[in-house]
Amino acid sequence: MQSSQTIEFTLDWQHPYDALGTAFYTGVQPTPLSNVHWVARNHALAEQLGWPVHKWDSEKLLSALSGNSVLPGSQPFASVYSGHQFGVWAGQLGDGRALSLGLLDTAIGPQEFQLKGAGLTPYSRMGDGRAVLRSSIREFLCSEAMHGLGIPTTRALCLTGSPDRVLREELETAAVVTRVAPSFLRFGHLQHFAANGDTASLQLLVDHFIAKHFPHLLSVEAGPKRYTAMLARVTRLTAEMLAQWQAVGFCHGVMNTDNMSLLGLTIDYGPFQFLDGFDPAHVCNHSDHQGRYAYARQPQVAYWNLFCLGQAMLPLIEDQDMAVAALESFKTDYPMLTDQAFAAKLGLAGSQSGDHELIESQLKILAAEKTDFTIFWRRLSHATALLATQAPAQAFEKVRDLFMQHEGWDNWLPAYERRLQGQDLLKTSSQMLQTNPKYVLRNHLGEQAIQQAKIGDFSGVADLLRVLQTPFDEHPDFHHLAGFPPDWASSISISCSS
Ligand code: AMP
Ligand code: MG
């Protein structure tokens, strides 16, 4: 048998911006780390990419995906972008600690591979180009959790660690996440060239993006009409992503325009949080003193960010009214998509007048006591099946138990029951169980896995990866990962520092 150490990984790397030129990127070599080791490997993604799993054992791959060597044919680079941070123009940013290895044709289409934390780039500004184990575990797990929930996201292939010290609020150790996406282009990439008045580069980049990622738009007349159609498409994808975030209780935490993907992918996992109790005003990022990125404000912020994108594309769209019209679709699409998402969570078949009010009144009841968001929906999903054979009071008993004040719930339930009349309740329940996850990456779960990993035990990360990749399944052995958060969960402080 061939030793895994000798297996060559032959990959046909392409450079996504080769045709565009060096205005878009700078070639840069990763900076090695000492004594690198695997922390986690995502076999499911490797299989989807069409990479035989046994190649994971290769020392060469460990070295390359830690940034200690460069795979043959890869020409690593960092790209430049700008953006608004917390509503204020921040000027030039860029891949300060993300290095692209290039683009590969895979079984799930062309994918770009990036190392996050592989050292300084020309865009590192005051940073050190590194990522710490703590935040890298969070990014690795949350990327796959979002994918498991069916929410568009960049993916995470693996995570490597090193004992090398990295200074944050305290001394931590270095890690590198290999992340994968069809493109890592952000709103900020376009803002960069627009802010510099470089319309020629802006157009090159946008034409490239359309050709590679929205080829269906090539049938639209070239010029302003096509650029408007692209803006409308990004607006739609962003509305879809936001509706899904809200429906699962996901707070991103740093929705700066440089953290918004042109493909509508969730990107740049930092101080994110899945809500424990339902609190629309919840702010997960302790650096966000104004609450700009509170859960309930995310849709508005997305629209604000899209508006910045529209402004950046104005030199190409030429007509302000056309740009505004493309953006306006967010105002109808987002509420419609959100209502659809919450109607599915409630198991409502079809669409009826009064559904929106039913959803809104339910969310008010949850907000009143900050009821646990994930557990509420999961219990409701199970209760709906019981309603097929039991009286409502019995069927929904465990849901009712979630409230201290029962009045709101008791008043709401009859309207819900009436709305479900005529539906196959067993089928409805099983659909709800595929919509309302049992497992989400709550802060305290990530924190426990991080504390274990810090002392060299990566089993907690592996367990979480397993359940989060299929979060609608029961996984009876991991039931303890689906419980209420412990009291100490609310004291976990997550800032931008990563
Ligand atoms: P973020 O808030 O994580 O999206 O980062 C904003 C900008 O700062 C991006 O351009 C990042 O690449 C850069 N950045 C963040 N942390 C570091 C770091 N440790 N070293 C270099 N650049 C960083
Ligand atoms: Mg970022």
Side-chain angles (χ1 to χ4, degrees):
M1 212 176 90
Q2 193 181 20
S3 151
S4 59
Q5 304 295 325
T6 62
I7 291 172
E8 284 294 337
F9 222 72
T10 45
L11 298 165
D12 187 13
W13 293 101
Q14 301 150 44
H15 194 307
Y17 303 131
D18 217 11
L20 300 182
T22 48
F24 301 91
Y25 68 92
T26 306
V28 40
Q29 296 297 304
T31 310
L33 289 164
S34 66
N35 297 312
V36 291
H37 54 262
W38 294 114
V39 175
R41 282 165 276 187
N42 183 353
H43 296 294
L45 177 56
E47 292 279 3
Q48 287 161 26
L49 292 168
W51 291 7
V53 165
H54 63 271
K55 294 191 175 179
W56 279 117
D57 295 330
S58 163
E59 286 295 324
K60 280 194 177 129
L61 205 53
L62 171 62
S63 164
L65 297 182
S66 304
N68 283 5
S69 59
V70 175
L71 290 164
S74 158
Q75 295 170 281
F77 68 90
S79 72
V80 65
Y81 52 79
S82 297
H84 285 89
Q85 297 185 320
F86 292 90
V88 178
W89 180 246
Q92 190 203 293
L93 305 163
D95 295 325
R97 52 174 170 171
L99 260 192
S100 269
L101 301 179
L103 200 65
L104 289 176
D105 272 325
T106 74
I108 51 170
Q111 300 285 329
E112 190 176 331
F113 288 69
Q114 280 196 343
L115 303 183
K116 185 166 176 180
L120 290 173
T121 81
Y123 315 111
S124 298
R125 300 181 299 150
M126 309 297 283
D128 54 10
R130 292 300 183 196
V132 296
L133 182 64
R134 163 181 56 85
S135 62
S136 303
I137 287 174
R138 283 171 51 86
E139 168 140 13
F140 175 81
L141 288 176
C142 199
S143 306
E144 292 311 295
M146 294 297 263
H147 181 74
L149 291 165
I151 301 176
T153 176
T154 61
R155 304 288 305 273
L157 180 62
C158 61
L159 174 55
T160 68
S162 155
D164 289 358
R165 300 277 160 189
V166 178
L167 183 62
R168 293 293 179 262
E169 274 100 356
E170 52 191 53
L171 267 182
E172 302 191 47
T173 60
V176 177
V177 180
T178 300
R179 58 183 186 181
V180 181
S183 169
F184 289 95
L185 281 175
R186 302 145 188 268
F187 292 9
H189 279 97
L190 306 195
Q191 286 184 288
H192 179 73
F193 295 104
N196 290 345
D198 183 355
T199 306
S201 294
L202 176 69
Q203 187 168 3
L204 260 181
L205 188 57
V206 169
D207 286 344
H208 163 87
F209 180 77
I210 291 173
K212 297 285 179 199
H213 302 289
F214 295 160
H216 61 285
L217 296 184
L218 294 174
S219 61
V220 179
E221 183 186 321
K225 286 204 173 123
R226 190 182 289 168
Y227 299 131
T228 307
M230 168 173 155
L231 181 60
R233 184 72 193 131
V234 179
T235 301
R236 172 71 190 201
L237 292 172
T238 306
E240 288 174 5
M241 177 180 78
L242 261 292
Q244 295 194 64
W245 284 6
Q246 300 306 105
V248 79
F250 177 77
C251 306
H252 182 282
V254 212
M255 287 178 70
N256 295 334
T257 57
D258 57 306
N259 290 337
M260 298 291 291
S261 147
L262 287 175
L263 287 175
L265 306 173
T266 315
I267 189 170
D268 280 12
Y269 293 91
F272 69 84
Q273 186 179 0
F274 286 86
L275 292 177
D276 288 319
F278 183 66
D279 176 9
H282 186 71
V283 180
C284 62
N285 179 354
H286 284 237
S287 314
D288 180 6
H289 305 296
Q290 311 283 323
R292 179 179 174 84
Y293 299 138
Y295 166 80
R297 297 199 64 196
Q298 295 188 123
Q300 267 167 271
V301 170
Y303 182 73
W304 192 91
N305 290 344
L306 284 162
F307 200 86
C308 294
L309 178 67
Q311 264 177 335
M313 291 184 73
L314 211 48
L316 305 180
I317 294 176
E318 291 172 2
D319 179 337
Q320 193 160 334
D321 291 344
M322 272 168 59
V324 169
L327 296 168
E328 280 290 295
S329 59
F330 188 88
K331 293 187 179 167
T332 45
D333 284 359
Y334 171 75
M336 180 195 71
L337 293 162
T338 310
D339 274 357
Q340 278 173 7
F342 277 97
K345 290 175 82 68
L346 286 171
L348 310 183
S351 158
Q352 290 181 13
S353 68
D355 285 355
H356 177 74
E357 290 69 24
L358 194 68
I359 293 164
E360 285 292 299
S361 52
Q362 179 48 247
L363 291 177
K364 271 203 192 104
I365 297 165
L366 292 181
E369 290 182 19
K370 298 192 178 126
T371 305
D372 192 280
F373 193 65
T374 306
I375 292 177
F376 168 78
W377 293 107
R378 194 73 183 176
R379 285 199 189 177
L380 190 76
S381 311
H382 284 296
T384 306
L386 299 178
L387 192 59
T389 52
Q390 295 177 5
Q394 266 177 301
F396 288 101
E397 194 182 349
K398 281 195 166 168
V399 184
R400 191 174 189 267
D401 284 351
L402 290 171
F403 302 99
M404 284 177 291
Q405 302 288 331
H406 294 131
E407 200 187 345
W409 168 258
D410 290 343
N411 289 336
W412 181 85
L413 186 58
Y416 180 52
E417 254 185 278
R418 271 197 304 279
R419 179 61 178 82
L420 290 181
Q421 263 163 29
Q423 288 187 211
D424 176 339
L425 292 172
L426 293 182
K427 190 170 148 218
T428 298
S429 169
S430 79
Q431 283 168 346
M432 289 169 76
L433 290 168
Q434 291 304 308
T435 306
N436 298 312
K438 176 169 179 179
Y439 298 96
V440 295
L441 181 56
R442 294 179 190 257
N443 260 354
H444 76 277
L445 296 175
E447 192 58 29
Q448 281 163 341
I450 288 165
Q451 294 311 329
Q452 260 181 294
K454 279 185 173 173
I455 51 170
D457 175 1
F458 306 132
S459 62
V461 176
D463 286 350
L464 277 175
L465 178 65
R466 200 168 136 206
V467 298
L468 294 171
Q469 283 184 323
T470 47
F472 303 106
D473 292 355
E474 282 298 321
H475 299 287
D477 293 349
F478 294 101
H479 188 67
H480 58 284
L481 301 178
F484 290 99
D487 287 342
W488 59 266
S490 60
S491 63
I492 299 171
S493 171
I494 309 280
S495 69
C496 275
S497 159
S498 60

